[in-house]
Amino acid sequence: MSRKKYTHLFFDLDNTLWDFKANSRLAMHSTFQLMQLEEKGVDFEGFFDLYSKNNSDLWGAYRKKEIRKKDLTTQRFKLTLDKLEINGIDPAEMNALYLSEMPKQSKLVDGAIDLLDYLKNKNYQLFIITNGFSEVQYNKLKSSKLLPYFKKIFISEEIKAPKPAREIFEHAIKSANARKSTSLMIGDDLEVDVLGALCAGIDAVYVHHSNIPDVEMKHHKKLNKRYLAIAELQELKARL
């Protein structure tokens, strides 16, 4: 990524600004207790690990438009409950409870507010491009007090094109009245955020949080001249 003057900054939400890993665990633990699964002799750690894998796999299929929203939200719990042979729990009810608990969590990635304050003071125009469900994502932004920082929020469910699809980036650029040449995408997922933006002709920053799996490192080495990789959000201050 070459150093130049950017005017429009597009942020991913989950695990870039809003700490999805920590918050989803807290929300699931609350759901787990409310559903009284512990009384059924279910181990939370095992449940959460299995759910996380099922959820990740289903989101991958959803991004490829292989399944619908309804399939994702019910199957991620149904598959988990079935695998652990847990009876008497309605997957749809558990999903609804989990989604209601999720936005109540408000832990942010370290340095998020400090960076956003810095960027606001520098008069950058800030936006969100996020995959997810509209009501949940908006509630996350509100409960964590992130919403006032952003001029517009672009959510895949509303646009009907999840990242890394080119359409969501094109829509965001047009709606923000921005130019690709002075726009920058900032996210934690190399394929979904970074490569998606690059394929749409937008520069990108990869926030890897000092955790680059082997498969991502291969892409990183191959494309390191096309984007900036940073470990922490604070590193952006030196670049913007």
Side-chain angles (χ1 to χ4, degrees), residues 127-144:
F127 305 85
I128 290 283
I129 303 179
T130 178
N131 283 349
F133 306 133
S134 300
E135 183 178 356
V136 176
Q137 298 303 77
Y138 277 116
N139 285 337
K140 288 178 185 177
L141 287 161
K142 292 175 183 176
S143 66
S144 59

Side-chain angles (χ1 to χ4, degrees), residues 30-78:
S30 177
T31 303
F32 190 86
Q33 291 182 318
L34 291 168
M35 299 296 289
Q36 300 180 329
L37 286 176
E38 192 170 12
E39 296 180 10
K40 293 179 176 287
V42 181
D43 172 64
F44 174 74
E45 296 298 334
F47 183 92
F48 185 70
D49 288 346
L50 182 56
Y51 165 83
S52 297
K53 181 183 184 307
N54 289 333
N55 186 53
S56 178
D57 291 345
L58 288 164
W59 265 105
Y62 180 74
R63 286 195 295 269
K64 296 174 184 177
K65 299 184 179 181
E66 295 174 352
I67 60 172
R68 300 169 300 172
K69 172 185 175 180
K70 182 178 180 181
D71 300 320
L72 190 162
T73 55
T74 56
Q75 286 299 310
R76 58 187 180 180
F77 282 99
K78 185 179 187 306

Side-chain angles (χ1 to χ4, degrees), residues 21-31 48 101 105 107:
K21 290 181 180 178
N23 290 327
S24 63
R25 185 183 183 85
L26 290 169
M28 187 62 77
H29 192 264
S30 177
T31 303
F48 185 70
E101 291 297 311
Q105 317 308 320
K107 180 175 173 53

